[in-house]
Structure formats: structure tokens, C-alpha cells
Amino acid sequence: MSSIVVPKDRVDPRVVLAIVSVGVLLSSLDLFIVNVALPDMARDFGDTQLSGLSWVLNAYAIVFAALLVPAGRLGDRGSNRTTFLVGLAVFVLGSGMCSAAWNVQSLIAFRILQAVGGAMLTPSSLGLVLATTPPERRPMAVRLWVAFGGLGAALGPVIGGLLVEIDWRWVFLVNVPIGLVAVAVGLRSLPRVCGDGGALPDVFGALMLIGAIGSLILALVKGADWGWTSAGVLISFAVAVVLGIAFGVSSARHHSPVVDPALLRSPNFALMAGNSLFFQIAFAGMLLSVVLWAQNVWDWSALRTGLAIAPGPLVVPFVAVLAGRFIGRIGPGPVIAAGGVLFGAGMVWWAQAITLEPDYVGGLLGGMVVSGLGVGLTLPTAFAAGSAGLPPQRFATGSAVLSMSRQLGLAVGVAVVVATLGSPIGAQATLDAFHRSWYVTAAVAVIAGLIGLGARMPKPTVTPQVSSLPHVDGEPGVAHGGGDVVGGGFQVAGRG
């Protein structure tokens, strides 16, 4: 494979960052934008069973999570440019097909296609950014790349509400023109970056992970309908255990596993993966439950619901900046623990204050802001603590595994909401069910905080100024692992 396709003087890092950020934003947006559209989908398809509709969210999250690391390895092995453009094209195709879905089953199938594209474009986009950005500018470029992913979470409910006012299908259709423009510009402007030609990723392990999480979620969402001791639920749990063991064995034996066991020995990594999993279970539970409550019980529109949710995400970046100051004084553990407790307090606020009578200021707003404070303290700190101790050559793989744990948490969180809500009949039963769901969500958030309490400030890792791959136009660059960004937010190695 030739490494000189786009001459060096034509590779503009700003253009590369702009193109790949579009793909990252779209894929991140779709993890959150669909929540506010679920009630309208239910009415359109005549399917009000939450246990079925929840797979519109879960199918995307599970497949996206399980394929993140293998897709990143494919990009490193061959061409991040090709992987990104193919992934973006698949994502656009899936989006268009989602907009034309005729029932819940077809929508779930097309969401899986979307997730495959999203998993391909996300890690390869970071590889392109790192390979084309000068060393001294890489830390800022990575922060911008991460910010675009976070922007999707913040804007998802609001944009979703706006689009649902037109038609819920626009939630997916809006991706098509934006994505096609990005593909067209990318074909002309993105450089081809040499891969390392290494081992193929562990696709079998990825499939085992998808099957294990899918079976677990099936058992959770169908427990109330089938009965928790029914054959179907018990078999689903058993299949999840067997496939989970197969995944673990494959990861231990494969040359390029989905989860490298060596990563678990890095400082804080295993703790932060666990924290990310549990915290995102709580986050998904919060987001889905407030959408269902506002639209189905208070009878708010999707737009009003999205705007009501917005204050929570809006406080996150400001709190994240303050969290960075606290970390240097007391360490990451107490900050993460405080975030979990605050998030849980927001859920308890809802359980105590929200009634059948709509009350935004006295009921919904307070819990939304308090939980937003918890998100701002937890998410950036946990990612930084988990990635700070990774060696340079494993930064991208490690960050992808942390991202994977977050996406799996989102899927399990939706399932937990379905299980705790059940199928209540009557206004009071519905209120009791949501209160129960918020208490459970609060407990999970506190557990996440307790896990995070064990995080310690890792010693900074010194990165070499030059590594062996990939390279553009014949010049060495930083591997997909990230070089200059080691430190994960606590400290940036090198002069950058």
C-alpha cells in the first residue's frame, strides 16, 4: 500500500478534523437523539410495548460498543481513511433506511446497520486526526475530537425534539445530506495513512460479546412479561453467561482481542471501566425515564421535553472545568465519588418531588441540574483517570474499551428501566413505578461513585516525540494510540 496519496502540502489538519468531526457528531448524536422520538414511533407503528421499542436504542448501543475495538484495529491494519469513509457511508445508508422503516422490527435491523457504520468511523477518525496533525497541536485536536462526541450527548434531546415536531423520521433522515457531503469532501481531502498490516481483529470475540449482552438485556426486558423464573428468562441468562465466558476465553487467547487483558493491569483502568459501565446504566435510566414521564404522563411535546432536559447537559462543561481543579488537590477518586452521589441525589429529588401534576421548576428542573453536576464531575474525570496510566501504544485501544463500557452501560440502563417500570395500570401505579425506577437509578449511580472512589492519581507517562506508525507522505507520526495525548486530561506529555 502506498503511503503517498495526498501530497503533504495538500493535507490540511483543520479540514481533516472538520470532516471526521461530522461523522463523530452524527454517530454520537444518534445514541441520544432517538430517546425523545420513542413515543411518536410507538404511536406511528401502533406498538406501545416498551420492551420491544427499547431495542431501537439497545441494538444500536450493543453493536456499536462491541465493534468499536475491532473496527479500530481494522483501520490501523489497513487504512483509516478507507475505514472512516466506508463507515460513514454505511451509517448514512442505515440512517436513510431507518427513516423508511415500516415497523419496529425493520427499524431495529436498520439501527444495527447504523451501528456498524458508527463503530467503523469513530476510532478511524481519531487515527486520521492524529496522523495529520503536527505533534505540538495534537492535544488540542484530540480535545476538539472528544468535544464533538460530547456535543452529541448534549444536543441530542433538543435536536430530537425539534425534528420530531416535523416527523420522527427526520431524526434519521437529517443524517443523510450531512453525511453525504462529508463523504464527498472526504474522498477529495482525506489523506491515506499507512496501516501496520498486523493481525486481524477478534471478530469472533466481538460476536460473543454482542450475543452475551443481547441475551442479558432480553432477559431483563422480558422478565416482567415472561416471569422472572420462566424458562425463557432463565435460558436467556444462561446463554448470556456461556457467551460471556466464550468472550473472555477469546480475549485471553487472541492476538488482537476486543479487550486486551493486559489493559486491566494499567493503573485505574479496570476500576474506571467498571465505573463507566455503572454510571452509564444510571445515565441511560435517567434519560429514558424522564422522556417517557414528560411525554406519556405529563403529555408534553417532544420539543418541550428536549428543552426541559437541556439544563442538565448545559452545566456539564462548566462543572468539568471545575473538576479539573479539584483533581489536582484531592485526586480523581473523591471527585468521581462525589459525581455519583450528586447524580443519585438528582434521581432521589425526582422521586420525592415529581407528582402527577406537571411542575417543571419545583419538580423536574432541580433533579435535572443536580444530576448534570454529577455527570460533569464523573465522566471527564473517569475517562482521564482510566486512560492516564496507559502506555502510548495502547491509548487508542484503551480509550475504545472505556467507550465500549459506556455504550454497554447505556444498553443495560435502558433494560433496567424497562424492567423496573413494568406495565403499570392507572395513574398512581404509574407514579409508583417511576419513583421505583428513580430510586434504582440513584442506587446504581452511588455504586458507580463507590467504584470510582478507588481511583488514584497515576504517574504521568512520558511519550516519545516520534513513533513508528502510521505515517503520511513518508514521514513518521503518532500511532493510532495517541502519543501526545497520554495523560488523558490530567497531563499532556511532551511540549504540546
Side-chain angles (χ1 to χ4, degrees):
M1 179 185 297
S2 173
S3 64
I4 309 175
V5 175
V6 179
K8 184 179 178 182
D9 59 3
R10 287 177 55 193
V11 178
D12 187 338
R14 294 169 298 182
V15 173
V16 172
L17 180 61
I19 295 169
V20 302
S21 294
V22 170
V24 172
L25 177 60
L26 291 180
S27 64
S28 173
L29 202 63
D30 259 54
L31 281 167
F32 302 97
I33 197 172
V34 178
N35 282 273
V36 295
L38 281 182
D40 281 69
M41 292 175 185
R43 286 189 286 270
D44 196 3
F45 292 140
D47 188 345
T48 58
Q49 289 293 320
L50 184 58
S51 59
L53 280 171
S54 66
W55 287 100
V56 176
L57 302 173
N58 283 341
Y60 185 93
I62 294 171
V63 175
F64 184 89
L67 295 184
L68 264 177
V69 177
R73 188 71 199 96
L74 278 176
D76 282 345
R77 183 176 184 271
S79 167
N80 277 315
R81 176 183 185 271
T82 301
T83 305
F84 173 80
L85 290 174
V86 171
L88 184 54
V90 171
F91 182 84
V92 169
L93 175 63
S95 298
M97 297 177 75
C98 284
S99 70
W102 54 91
N103 57 26
V104 173
Q105 292 73 27
S106 63
L107 181 56
I108 293 171
F110 300 147
R111 286 281 282 169
I112 291 174
L113 184 63
Q114 257 193 321
V116 172
M120 292 178 68
L121 71 87
T122 300
S124 57
S125 66
L126 180 58
L128 287 168
V129 169
L130 292 172
T132 57
T133 304
E136 68 276 6
R137 291 167 55 189
R138 286 185 188 125
M140 178 57 71
V142 172
R143 284 193 289 270
L144 289 172
W145 181 87
V146 172
F148 272 96
L151 193 62
L155 296 179
V158 178
I159 294 177
L162 287 169
L163 294 173
V164 170
E165 288 296 302
I166 305 171
D167 190 293
W168 69 261
R169 296 177 188 274
W170 276 96
V171 167
F172 303 107
L173 195 58
V174 71
N175 295 332
V176 176
I178 299 173
L180 289 177
V181 170
V183 170
V185 176
L187 285 169
R188 294 175 57 87
S189 305
L190 291 179
R192 290 188 183 177
V193 181
C194 267
D196 58 17
L200 285 169
D202 183 11
V203 176
F204 174 78
L207 293 176
M208 292 302 98
L209 180 60
I210 291 172
I213 299 300
S215 297
L216 172 63
I217 288 173
L218 179 64
L220 291 174
V221 300
K222 289 296 186 182
D225 294 337
W226 294 351
W228 290 103
T229 59
S230 66
V233 169
L234 295 177
I235 290 173
S236 296
F237 278 127
V239 169
V241 171
V242 171
L243 294 182
I245 293 173
F247 167 71
V249 171
S250 183
S251 293
R253 295 180 176 179
H254 200 277
H255 294 298
S256 183
V258 175
V259 178
D260 186 349
L263 289 172
L264 303 179
R265 295 191 290 271
S266 295
N268 293 331
F269 187 85
L271 278 176
M272 293 305 95
N275 169 266
S276 295
L277 177 68
F278 278 88
F279 192 81
Q280 291 291 26
I281 291 174
F283 182 85
M286 177 276 294
L287 184 58
L288 179 60
S289 65
V290 70
V291 167
L292 294 175
W293 177 266
Q295 293 192 51
N296 292 344
V297 181
W298 282 354
D299 200 28
W300 285 3
S301 68
L303 177 58
R304 187 176 182 182
T305 300
L307 292 173
I309 293 171
L314 286 176
V315 305
V316 170
F318 301 101
V319 178
V321 172
L322 294 176
R325 298 177 181 177
F326 294 141
I327 291 169
R329 298 177 182 177
I330 62 176
V335 174
I336 296 170
V341 171
L342 274 173
F343 191 96
M347 298 301 95
V348 172
W349 182 311
W350 283 355
Q352 292 291 321
I354 288 181
T355 66
L356 293 171
E357 291 297 322
D359 181 4
Y360 179 59
V361 175
L364 192 61
L365 179 60
M368 196 77 250
V369 172
V370 173
S371 64
L373 296 175
V375 173
L377 289 175
T378 299
L379 288 189
T381 310
F383 185 87
S387 60
L390 294 172
Q393 68 274 18
R394 289 188 176 176
F395 182 80
T397 302
S399 61
V401 172
L402 291 175
S403 296
M404 180 183 74
S405 67
R406 292 201 298 269
Q407 309 312 326
L408 293 178
L410 290 174
V412 175
V414 170
V416 169
V417 169
V418 175
T420 54
L421 287 181
S423 302
I425 299 175
Q428 187 59 46
T430 299
L431 179 63
D432 293 340
F434 275 90
H435 283 178
R436 179 171 61 247
S437 176
W438 289 324
Y439 281 125
V440 169
T441 301
V444 174
V446 172
I447 291 172
L450 292 175
I451 295 173
L453 186 60
R456 297 291 180 265
M457 182 74 77
K459 296 180 180 178
T461 303
V462 179
T463 59
Q465 291 300 311
V466 177
S467 68
S468 59
L469 53 97
H471 56 276
V472 180
D473 200 23
E475 296 202 0
V478 172
H480 186 67
D484 297 309
V485 295
V486 171
F490 291 140
Q491 178 167 342
V492 176
R495 292 188 299 272

